[in-house]
Amino acid sequence: MSENARACANSICCGIVLANLAISSCSPFEKFAPLPLTVMWLYVGAFACGLVLGITLDDAKQMLYGVGSMALVAVLIFGGALIYIAWSNKATSYDTISLLAFQQSFVRFVFISILGGVGAFCATVLKLVFSGEL
Amino acid sequence: MARKVNAARNAITVALAILTLFSAGSIAATTTRCAEWVGAVRHLQIGVRDVQMRTENGPQVLVAFSFKNGSPASVELEKFDVYLYVGSRFVGTNYVPFTRRRIDSYEATTIEIVVPISSPHQAFVEQVRQEEEDFSWFVHGRAKVLFPSFFRQETWLNVREHWAGE
């Protein structure tokens, strides 16, 4: 598998996994989730996904784009799910839901990006340590 | 060495792909169930189940309400206003401020509210009760429910008009 293809596939996969964690740990959804989680799992998941991207990718630029894409995919799915619920029910609180979807999505995007970046950085350091370059 | 590293990376990618499949299924299931719940609570209704006269602690009427048309999920009940009539004559009311009460199962939940008959109407109620065979109560009112989380919004459910024999 080429580096670019792996970077792309892993970023999207991590984004979907994080979107699931974000939805399962979000208060409106959690009671409907097959596996309800606390929000701490989202942070742990973001860090773990950053580690995975850091381990599987070598190029720093790819890692940077990968973490950004992962966070973007996650919040697009998360925000999309909230909007879908409002839209499918023509909810009277449509505007409230949309606003909250935006707020919650933005907060999650920031957290996922930061923790994903930290995870990728840690993975890079670990690789350098194990290869004897550091 | 490079080949082993590449194989390990491919293995992680495959494991991630499998985890992604589970996650995608979970997202679809959660979103669908949540959307169904929002649809169900918007069609929630509340109705009178039973009306009984009590005289132990002065004349009062016990009115039992139950939810209808709801799917199993949760809402919170905050207030209940009840208006009681004998025929077309108003005889009592009760504004019940609940300590927020969580309703987890609509079908199984019955809310009982005591409506004291106000003293100017006590003699009238007693007289009608003794004189008329088809003595009946007319109850209406409303319940304030809260939908949790960011769907939290106040909604007053109207009690459907109800005539009930003693």
Side-chain angles (χ1 to χ4, degrees):
Chain A
M1 187 183 284
S2 78
E3 279 284 307
N4 281 336
R6 182 188 288 127
C8 200
N10 285 5
S11 302
I12 292 172
C13 289
C14 285
I16 294 171
V17 171
L18 286 180
N20 182 39
L21 293 179
I23 285 174
S24 298
S25 62
C26 174
S27 52
F29 288 115
E30 61 182 348
K31 64 173 171 286
F32 305 105
L35 185 64
L37 301 168
T38 61
V39 78
M40 185 56 68
W41 283 103
L42 174 63
Y43 305 147
V44 171
F47 181 76
C49 284
L51 272 178
V52 165
L53 289 181
I55 290 168
T56 52
L57 305 176
D58 278 331
D59 186 70
K61 202 172 169 184
Q62 277 183 346
M63 273 186 226
L64 189 68
Y65 287 150
V67 170
S69 309
M70 169 185 85
L72 194 62
V73 168
V75 296
L76 283 178
I77 294 173
F78 174 77
L82 294 179
I83 299 294
Y84 165 75
I85 289 167
W87 171 79
S88 65
N89 285 289
K90 296 179 177 60
T92 49
S93 56
Y94 180 80
D95 292 334
T96 311
I97 291 174
S98 303
L99 182 64
L100 279 157
F102 174 77
Q103 289 171 342
Q104 293 201 10
S105 300
F106 182 76
V107 170
R108 276 163 173 75
F109 178 78
V110 171
F111 274 120
I112 289 170
S113 300
I114 292 172
L115 288 166
V118 171
F121 178 76
C122 290
T124 308
V125 172
L126 282 174
K127 279 194 298 190
L128 290 174
V129 169
F130 280 112
S131 64
E133 293 176 43
L134 198 68
Chain B
M1 183 65 182
R3 192 176 289 176
K4 279 185 180 176
V5 170
N6 204 38
R9 285 176 171 174
N10 283 342
I12 291 176
T13 304
V14 170
L16 195 57
I18 293 169
L19 195 59
T20 303
L21 283 178
F22 283 111
S23 298
S26 173
I27 290 169
T30 307
T31 308
T32 308
R33 285 158 69 182
C34 190
E36 284 172 359
W37 175 77
V38 174
V41 293
R42 290 181 65 225
H43 294 101
L44 192 61
Q45 289 180 343
I46 195 159
V48 178
R49 174 177 279 183
D50 193 22
V51 182
Q52 289 175 12
M53 179 97 182
R54 283 182 175 179
T55 50
E56 305 93 69
N57 303 313
Q60 52 183 213
V61 175
L62 184 76
V63 187
F65 299 92
S66 61
F67 286 102
K68 294 174 180 175
N69 300 348
S71 66
S74 58
V75 293
E76 286 174 6
L77 189 64
E78 194 181 65
K79 276 184 188 169
F80 218 117
D81 298 348
V82 186
Y83 305 89
L84 187 67
Y85 294 79
V86 171
S88 59
R89 184 162 169 174
F90 174 78
V91 293
T93 187
N94 199 358
Y95 306 101
V96 183
F98 280 98
T99 305
R100 276 189 192 166
R101 179 171 159 184
R102 197 179 179 88
I103 308 294
D104 285 319
S105 169
Y106 299 129
E107 304 303 330
T109 301
T110 300
I111 304 139
E112 292 190 338
I113 292 174
V114 173
V115 185
I117 295 171
S118 46
S119 49
H121 302 111
Q122 285 178 10
F124 167 75
V125 171
E126 192 54 36
Q127 182 190 339
V128 176
R129 203 158 76 100
Q130 287 173 0
E131 286 177 1
E132 296 185 20
E133 285 182 5
D134 57 345
F135 175 72
S136 61
W137 303 103
F138 176 60
V139 182
H140 75 90
R142 55 187 192 157
K144 186 181 180 184
V145 294
L146 305 169
F147 303 138
S149 212
F150 65 59
F151 301 114
R152 185 175 291 285
Q153 52 179 336
E154 299 175 359
T155 297
W156 284 98
L157 298 177
N158 289 315
V159 175
R160 300 169 86 188
E161 293 184 350
H162 184 82
W163 289 92
E166 190 185 9

